[in-house]
Amino acid sequence: MKKHFFIFLLFVSFQSTWANELLPVSAYGSIPEISKVVISPSGDSIAYRKTNGEKDMVITYSLKDKKVTGGIDVSEIRPSHIYFVNEDTLILVAVDNTKLFGFRGRHNISAGFSYRISKNKVGQLLVPGKGIYEGQTALGNVVGISNDGRFAYMPAWKTGGEYALMKVNLAGKRKPKSVKRGMFEAIDYFIHDDKILARELYNNEKDRHRVQTLIGNKWVTIFEEEAEIKTKVFVGITSDLQSLVFEAYGSNQRIGYYTMALADGKISGPVFNPDDKDIEYVITDVNRIVHG
């Protein structure tokens, strides 16, 4: 009896200590003071989000000179993702659940912003109603950067009902312009050296999934598949610019890494398809060149 009573006392004592050390509910909703750390293309600088009390900042820091080079208040943006496109420009991507004018309910709306470090200015890249259709939600997707570093390539819906690739000035000057006329079925674009390499199409009514390459001034279909749910997820371009990279289930029922030749749609692979794990994430640069 004494032995059991002693064990009970130990349990009560441990339970009381544990209860006193519980974190408050508010702690689970807080975000780290330092987060979103990224490195510049040269490796000379880093950027990160710093949240401290009422301040929410994006800070840039020179590893070479060991000093802060920029900082801007992002409390109204609250970026969920940041990355360098060159040594002087960061892209900030934010997602907010809010109402959309002319539509019922609430929607998850993404937006992209450019932060020019030397100017210490931030501006929204694609603004609904300015050169693009007003009622759309996904406006934070950058699929490439121009060779001169002045423009971002971003897909968006235009007023005429076409999903087009837009050329957007990173400095926020002028309305965006479409690189080439879009298409209602288009869902993604791949571009390099300021030239469109391919576009991905999906027709919901016909369950038709296609990939087309631009040869001269003509779209040529290199892949077509009837699928109620897409079986291939295109994520980038190989470093030699000869193939698209996609993820798909292999014969082992694991998600593997494959390539599709832009010249004729020939599929190679799996390049990587372990039996005991799936590929979760493909590492790419700002122009979607796959590195790992």
Side-chain angles (χ1 to χ4, degrees):
M1 175 66 74
K2 289 182 179 179
K3 182 179 179 182
H4 292 165
F5 180 69
F6 177 67
I7 292 173
F8 175 74
L9 283 177
L10 279 177
F11 174 74
V12 171
S13 176
F14 171 76
Q15 189 178 43
S16 177
T17 302
W18 175 74
N20 289 334
E21 294 179 353
L22 281 176
L23 292 172
V25 174
S26 59
Y28 294 93
S30 63
I31 61 176
E33 184 176 342
I34 302 293
S35 64
K36 317 298 181 190
V37 182
V38 291
I39 193 165
S40 69
S42 69
D44 289 340
S45 299
I46 61 170
Y48 55 90
R49 183 181 177 185
K50 183 175 183 179
T51 305
N52 187 3
E54 296 180 355
K55 291 185 178 181
D56 193 350
M57 306 281 292
V58 165
I59 306 291
T60 56
Y61 180 85
S62 172
L63 298 172
K64 186 177 180 180
D65 300 325
K66 295 181 173 56
K67 67 176 184 179
V68 172
T69 55
I72 195 158
D73 184 2
V74 293
S75 57
E76 293 187 5
I77 298 175
R78 301 191 306 276
S80 57
H81 186 43
I82 67 175
Y83 57 93
F84 281 93
V85 294
N86 54 51
E87 296 300 311
D88 189 47
T89 309
L90 282 165
I91 297 292
L92 317 177
V93 181
V95 180
D96 191 20
N97 184 265
T98 186
K99 292 182 179 180
L100 186 63
F101 179 76
F103 294 85
R104 293 181 177 179
R106 300 180 68 88
H107 306 267
N108 288 326
I109 298 176
S110 68
F113 301 81
S114 66
Y115 170 43
R116 302 287 299 280
I117 300 169
S118 60
K119 302 290 185 182
N120 205 40
K121 291 179 64 176
V122 64
Q124 188 167 340
L125 293 171
L126 284 175
V127 179
K130 294 186 178 181
I132 59 173
Y133 178 57
E134 187 172 7
Q136 55 187 310
T137 58
L139 293 176
N141 185 22
V142 175
V143 299
I145 300 296
S146 64
N147 284 346
D148 60 13
R150 295 172 53 213
F151 299 91
Y153 293 107
M154 306 176 70
W157 288 99
K158 298 195 70 179
T159 305
E162 58 183 84
Y163 194 64
L165 186 63
M166 311 300 292
K167 188 175 183 179
V168 187
N169 193 310
L170 288 170
K173 299 176 181 178
R174 303 176 184 174
K175 290 182 180 180
K177 294 183 178 180
S178 56
V179 179
K180 195 172 183 62
R181 185 170 182 175
M183 189 176 181
F184 180 76
E185 292 181 27
I187 58 173
D188 201 0
Y189 290 89
F190 296 87
I191 189 168
H192 198 272
D193 289 333
D194 299 316
K195 296 179 181 178
I196 297 178
L197 298 179
R199 68 181 180 187
E200 184 181 2
L201 312 172
Y202 188 75
N203 187 307
N204 281 300
E205 293 182 358
K206 298 180 180 180
D207 296 331
R208 185 176 63 185
H209 189 197
R210 291 183 292 163
V211 173
Q212 295 180 331
T213 56
L214 191 59
I215 299 177
N217 201 37
K218 183 180 179 182
W219 289 106
V220 177
T221 299
I222 61 169
F223 165 78
E224 184 170 341
E225 180 179 62
E226 187 174 318
E228 186 175 347
I229 298 175
K230 291 183 297 177
T231 63
K232 297 170 179 61
V233 179
F234 291 89
V235 294
I237 313 164
T238 56
S239 58
D240 61 5
L241 308 181
Q242 298 302 305
S243 302
L244 294 179
V245 173
F246 68 89
E247 297 174 356
Y249 281 100
S251 57
N252 59 2
Q253 299 305 305
R254 291 288 189 177
I255 297 174
Y257 171 117
Y258 299 77
T259 62
M260 178 181 292
L262 288 167
D264 56 12
K266 181 181 178 181
I267 293 175
S268 299
V271 177
F272 186 63
N273 187 210
D275 288 331
D276 60 342
K277 58 182 68 71
D278 295 310
I279 290 180
E280 182 174 347
Y281 183 71
V282 174
I283 301 168
T284 65
D285 62 19
V286 293
N287 288 306
R288 303 177 82 183
I289 301 297
V290 175
H291 295 288

